[in-house]
Amino acid sequence: MIFHRYHGLGNDYLVCHHSVASQLTNKQIRRICDRHYGIGSDGLLIDFDDADIPTLRIINPDGSEAEKSGNGLRIYARYLFDIGRVEHQPFLVNTSGGQVRCEVTEGAHQVIVDMGQAKFSPSALPASVEGDEALALPLVVGGHTLSATLVSMGNPHCVIKVEKLDLHLVKQLGAEIETLSIFPKRTNVQFVQVLDRRNISIGIWERGAGYTLASGSSSCAAASAMHKLGHVDDNVTVHMPGGQLAIRFSGDFQVNMRGPVQKIATLTLDDDCFWDMPG
């Protein structure tokens, strides 16, 4: 079984063909993504090449499925370029969170993704919150009163604006916010500090993966929330522990993301990986 390992700003994924993924149980996928018992990964990207438009399925390390992933899409685009399925011209990719447009730039290390429209309706996440939009919604979590803005990028996000970013607080409260009862499908969580009108700094708790160094859809959601609240302009650099992504807005909250991708290795996994599997 062949897997291709890439990372975008330290957020790493394994890419495999659907013929490989079809041989794996959910339990085996969790084992492969485990950093102690398997290869280790922030998720599995499954490539379906039997359609006119490349189709991507995204599996989180806990075995759940994600509708969309910005870093995952950039990695998948780079993988398609590396195997010769696409060139430098823009192309479409199908995900369960909607169709997106991707482009691998000259040199192949930078990938652009049009992530679609940021939506602020709670029903789009979904979230059990009254009203057409949920902006600066008060949440009390772990003894902290937080200000949350809910955003859908084709997947759910809860964006918390803070005066000073504290990554320890992200790790402390992320899991509880992810599983609040108002989020029937759980949610991704971002804590955001506005640095100036062109820069924000974020900490990320990813649904199904936990604390992570970087996330494309989280960057888009955090920038969209701050743009909606009037704190940033149309071009925003998102700073994360893993690095930076460039976000640009056009039209009615149409979001464009640009950032790096690097290939790490091509790996062959044999059946011994699944021997005496815990859990």
Side-chain angles (χ1 to χ4, degrees):
M1 290 186 281
I2 305 297
F3 296 85
H4 306 273
R5 187 171 187 175
Y6 291 79
H7 83 86
L9 303 176
N11 191 212
D12 61 329
Y13 281 88
L14 297 169
V15 189
C16 72
H17 191 263
H18 69 87
S19 62
V20 172
S22 66
Q23 302 175 53
L24 302 173
T25 66
N26 191 274
K27 185 176 181 180
Q28 288 171 332
I29 291 174
R30 294 198 306 271
R31 171 65 175 260
I32 290 170
C33 292
D34 190 287
R35 297 193 184 278
H36 300 286
Y37 292 99
I39 299 172
S41 173
D42 286 322
L44 182 66
L45 306 178
I46 303 173
D47 169 34
F48 289 82
D49 63 355
D50 51 0
D52 292 337
I53 297 175
T55 298
L56 172 64
R57 187 177 174 211
I58 306 162
I59 308 298
N60 292 318
D62 69 353
S64 62
E65 186 164 356
E67 301 91 343
K68 191 185 282 188
S69 163
N71 277 345
L73 277 161
R74 292 202 328 280
I75 287 170
Y76 182 59
R78 170 67 189 274
Y79 161 79
L80 293 175
F81 178 85
D82 287 346
I83 64 172
R85 291 251 304 279
V86 303
E87 298 181 345
H88 289 299
Q89 295 80 9
F91 58 93
L92 296 176
V93 171
N94 287 325
T95 76
S96 61
Q99 194 173 83
V100 300
R101 178 178 175 272
C102 302
E103 180 182 349
V104 180
T105 64
E106 295 293 335
H109 294 299
Q110 290 281 326
V111 179
I112 300 168
V113 179
D114 288 331
M115 290 288 287
Q117 185 184 40
K119 298 180 180 179
F120 300 92
S121 167
S123 63
L125 278 85
S128 303
V129 176
E130 296 294 329
D132 295 332
E133 296 179 335
L135 310 178
L137 176 74
L139 289 181
V140 179
V141 181
H144 298 264
T145 300
L146 307 171
S147 176
T149 295
L150 307 187
V151 187
S152 172
M153 290 303 311
N155 59 348
H157 297 269
C158 179
V159 182
I160 310 293
K161 183 179 182 296
V162 294
E163 292 302 314
K164 181 70 173 177
L165 182 61
D166 179 353
L167 296 180
H168 175 72
L169 196 62
V170 178
K171 298 172 185 177
Q172 177 186 340
L173 301 181
E176 187 172 351
I177 298 171
E178 175 192 353
T179 56
L180 286 174
S181 61
I182 63 171
F183 302 117
K185 294 186 177 181
R186 301 185 292 165
T187 187
N188 299 287
V189 183
Q190 303 84 35
F191 282 63
V192 185
Q193 178 184 348
V194 177
L195 303 176
D196 56 43
R197 295 202 61 85
R198 295 177 66 90
N199 294 273
I200 62 175
S201 180
I202 72 173
I204 304 155
W205 184 271
E206 201 164 26
R207 179 184 57 165
Y211 176 77
T212 188
L213 296 176
S215 166
S217 65
S218 289
S219 296
C220 294
S224 296
M226 295 305 102
H227 191 50
K228 181 73 171 178
L229 294 172
H231 297 305
V232 298
D233 298 327
D234 287 342
N235 292 282
V236 183
T237 299
V238 180
H239 302 260
M240 297 165 284
Q244 301 174 7
L245 286 176
I247 306 298
R248 178 171 56 84
F249 296 101
S250 62
D252 184 18
F253 278 92
Q254 296 293 324
V255 185
N256 174 281
M257 171 189 62
R258 179 183 180 122
V261 173
Q262 290 182 311
K263 184 169 184 178
I264 302 170
T266 296
L267 306 164
T268 302
L269 194 65
D270 60 36
D271 291 340
D272 285 347
C273 177
F274 307 118
W275 179 78
D276 194 25
M277 186 183 306

